[in-house]
Amino acid sequence: MTPEVGATVARLRREVAELHRELTRNGLVIWTAGNVSARVPGQDLMVIKPSGVRYEDLTPEAMVVTDLHGVLVEGDRSPSSDTAAHAYVYRHMPEVGGVVHTHSTYATAWAARAEPIPCVLTMIADEFGGDIPVGPFALIGDDTIGRGIVDTLRGSRSPAVLMAGHGPFTVGRGARDAVKAAVMLEDVARTVHISRQLGTPAELAPADVTSLFQRYQNVYGQERA
Amino acid sequence: MTPEVGATVARLRREVAELHRELTRNGLVIWTAGNVSARVPGQDLMVIKPSGVRYEDLTPEAMVVTDLHGVLVEGDRSPSSDTAAHAYVYRHMPEVGGVVHTHSTYATAWAARAEPIPCVLTMIADEFGGDIPVGPFALIGDDTIGRGIVDTLRGSRSPAVLMAGHGPFTVGRGARDAVKAAVMLEDVARTVHISRQLGTPAELAPADVTSLFQRYQNVYGQERA
Amino acid sequence: MTPEVGATVARLRREVAELHRELTRNGLVIWTAGNVSARVPGQDLMVIKPSGVRYEDLTPEAMVVTDLHGVLVEGDRSPSSDTAAHAYVYRHMPEVGGVVHTHSTYATAWAARAEPIPCVLTMIADEFGGDIPVGPFALIGDDTIGRGIVDTLRGSRSPAVLMAGHGPFTVGRGARDAVKAAVMLEDVARTVHISRQLGTPAELAPADVTSLFQRYQNVYGQERA
Amino acid sequence: MTPEVGATVARLRREVAELHRELTRNGLVIWTAGNVSARVPGQDLMVIKPSGVRYEDLTPEAMVVTDLHGVLVEGDRSPSSDTAAHAYVYRHMPEVGGVVHTHSTYATAWAARAEPIPCVLTMIADEFGGDIPVGPFALIGDDTIGRGIVDTLRGSRSPAVLMAGHGPFTVGRGARDAVKAAVMLEDVARTVHISRQLGTPAELAPADVTSLFQRYQNVYGQERA
């Protein structure tokens, strides 16, 4: 690594460590079951959570660096068991700079039924641009999960995908955007679930969804490629 | 601004900053998605949250001051994207000194179904004086949301309105009263939702509702015009 | 007051102030909507929360002392608006030394439907000795609420009553026991609600309920008169 | 006790005290209603929570040591009222080094209906290796609860059993593993409950369940005998 790349990696280690605290603060993860990664811009590298480490022990130094095939480049521990899925996303979606995986309760409840979250709230239109889609059931161990994520996200404006029988993955221009999407996802998954328990909320008109999405992405400067 | 107005604005900056902490403490908001404002008494001014700032960064200095058409008067950041709705309320409801907007889970779940919360608890009669009404679905960008809030609140004793497909707005004589209404709203929205999951709670008799409302408003000195 | 009574009152002010923190810690109350009182043993006096004070401001000094008709004896503020109900319980149930009132979510949801909580868990048999009963709907302002509490509790082994359309009251030999009952009540109200959402849990056999109740009350030394 | 055993007991007192904090941190227990124990390796001894002590008072010194019939060996207080069940498990399952009992909300809601949690998520396959089984309803006071736990766990790969009308017990190679299982159990009990409220999630194929279970147990080095 050049000194410049080393400095960038050091910054991303701090950022990714801090963002894991957002997962616990927002109630998205228990024990060690969730992970955040960030692409090292311009490099075939990413910073990701090590496997099986408790959130209170996730210091910047505890993070690991791998290449975009999940091979360890820097760090003492083995990378997250979900590293292959993160790496596949970075290899196939160059506009993505951050990936988050959780088993947050309500998003996972929709994923268990393999049911998309319908766009019935302005907040869903703003952040997700329509229904939040479902990806295929896939076993861990090869590129099946990564391919399911990428194929599903490419057919949608949503930064979130509900992997069937498993849980959500979210992406963003950077790791912070991906964490924001994970937080918003769980929030709308919960609200729509609760609303649906006592009736059927109306879906927003497609033109309104597009109008809200375009306005929100511009106002907040978060356009995605 | 005169020194007197400047001192009032300084006090309201502190109060509004502090009240945003009540939103997080009571679990009404995630990320940056909720806002509190206060009218500057006797002035065509209001103090409101800036756009897209995290709650932990909401110091008194971070708040912004706008006129009652949402034009920035004091502050470094652009005001909340909901400023137009707050401003409309202040222009058309002179008795209102505080406005709160959240996407709190249970209130928003009722709003997604465009269903009023029925008055089945003494606490609802006390604070809201009857059913909690639903306002129209409205897109952000002009006065449609503000008009929907005002038109709905004028037909009700309730300080809260559920904007369809969007979420709740609450008002009060001051910002603290509006925050209290937002907290109570989410609490009764949750309790009635849960009660309705397993049956149909009985609505209170209208005479009892009026009796409870009048007693509570006097005891707590919180009459609204 | 004699010095001995004064010392007892000082101790109860600390205990009652501390117990209000248990209400917030266990998520039983929002804003100012819940209260704890303790009888001053051997005196026609009780220590109770003042009206409309935030939980973070509930120091021992902030508590008030009233007689058992709710007349203020010591303290700067007016007593809780529920004082009449607490006082009625102390006048008519000499074995009771503590009373708690909340609007905790799940207990209130059962109260809104005026439906008793069935005894389907060993924990309910242990602490409540059977179904948790419902009391009548009653308006605030005279002894109707107090009478409803006492009449209902006298027909039951339960230290908790669900006042219809209002919320729960619990009693105990001391204020700590009444708070424990309020915490346990909300816990079982939630668990049974959730269990009932997907089916009908079986009620425990009456002989098992009695066996569990008697064992638990002896083991924990919490017999009630 | 030899000095070596004394040192092990001292270490386990600290570990068991610390693990009780995980129960509260993860929202699995209220008041005093849950307990963790650890076997003293190579001895007919265990370290367990004392009866009726609040979680904030559970220092290492407050823990008690009993033999594997629940007779007090070291400590000032009587052991947890669930000691007989823990002891029975240690006597009959030599591979178990830790036992946890809670009344966590969602697991207990399934237990109240005596309904197993179906294996509809990869996380359930990973940690529990299939459906999470139900044990018989049993009264406290003799070995009935312990026998129900052991008989049920022996017919399953799951480290968790839902005791009907009562609540969950979990086991592990050590106390930390048993606490992890209790945390994961409540998480999946909640997620599957919520998913089932709006439909029927598909069960995973048995071959996929076995594949996921074996991989997870090896990756995390947590094989159970």
Side-chain angles (χ1 to χ4, degrees), chain A residues 30-33 51-52 54 56 81 103-106 108-113 115 137-141 164-167 192-194 196-197, chain D residues 19 22 25-26 106 120-123 176 179-180 183-184 187 190-191 194-202 204 208 211-212 215-216 219-220:
Chain A
I30 57 155
W31 217 252
T32 65
S51 178
R54 302 295 305 272
E56 54 267 43
S81 59
H103 298 86
S104 66
T105 301
Y106 284 86
T108 303
W110 289 90
R113 286 195 313 273
E115 183 176 351
F137 178 79
L139 289 184
I140 200 167
H166 184 175
V192 179
H193 175 87
I194 289 167
R196 278 270 303 272
Q197 290 185 309
Chain D
L19 286 168
E22 290 290 342
R25 199 181 297 171
N26 287 280
Y106 285 86
V120 300
L121 289 169
T122 55
M123 187 190 272
R176 183 161 205 85
V179 170
K180 182 191 178 193
V183 171
M184 304 285 269
D187 191 61
R190 178 172 43 233
T191 303
I194 289 168
S195 192
R196 278 269 303 273
Q197 289 185 311
L198 298 181
T200 306
L204 271 52
D208 289 346
S211 159
L212 286 163
R215 183 183 181 286
Y216 186 81
V219 165
Y220 284 83

Side-chain angles (χ1 to χ4, degrees), chain C residues 125-129 157 209-217:
Chain C
D126 287 348
E127 176 73 19
F128 301 96
R157 288 189 289 215
V209 172
T210 294
S211 160
L212 286 163
F213 179 70
Q214 290 177 343
R215 184 183 180 285
Y216 186 80
Q217 300 301 320

Side-chain angles (χ1 to χ4, degrees), chain D residues 59-157:
Chain D
T59 59
E61 297 71 33
M63 298 295 141
V64 297
V65 181
T66 72
D67 69 18
L68 296 189
H69 288 82
V71 176
L72 190 68
V73 170
E74 195 180 272
D76 298 331
R77 294 173 169 273
S78 49
S80 164
S81 58
D82 296 302
T83 297
H86 290 246
Y88 189 96
V89 173
Y90 291 124
R91 291 205 307 279
H92 293 85
M93 299 184 81
E95 72 279 19
V96 167
V99 177
V100 172
H101 174 46
T102 78
H103 298 87
S104 65
T105 301
Y106 285 86
T108 303
W110 290 90
R113 286 195 314 273
E115 184 176 350
I117 301 175
C119 188
V120 300
L121 289 169
T122 55
M123 187 190 272
I124 303 177
D126 288 348
E127 175 74 17
F128 301 96
D131 294 357
I132 300 169
V134 172
F137 177 79
L139 289 184
I140 199 167
D142 58 17
D143 278 346
T144 322
I145 293 177
R147 195 178 308 121
I149 296 167
V150 169
D151 289 352
T152 308
L153 290 180
R154 278 190 177 144
S156 166
R157 289 190 287 215

Side-chain angles (χ1 to χ4, degrees), chain B residues 67-106:
Chain B
D67 69 17
L68 295 189
H69 288 82
V71 177
L72 191 68
V73 170
E74 194 181 274
D76 298 331
R77 294 175 170 273
S78 50
S80 163
S81 59
D82 297 302
T83 297
H86 291 246
Y88 189 96
V89 173
Y90 290 124
R91 291 205 306 279
H92 293 83
M93 298 183 81
E95 73 278 19
V96 167
V99 177
V100 173
H101 174 45
T102 78
H103 298 86
S104 66
T105 301
Y106 285 86

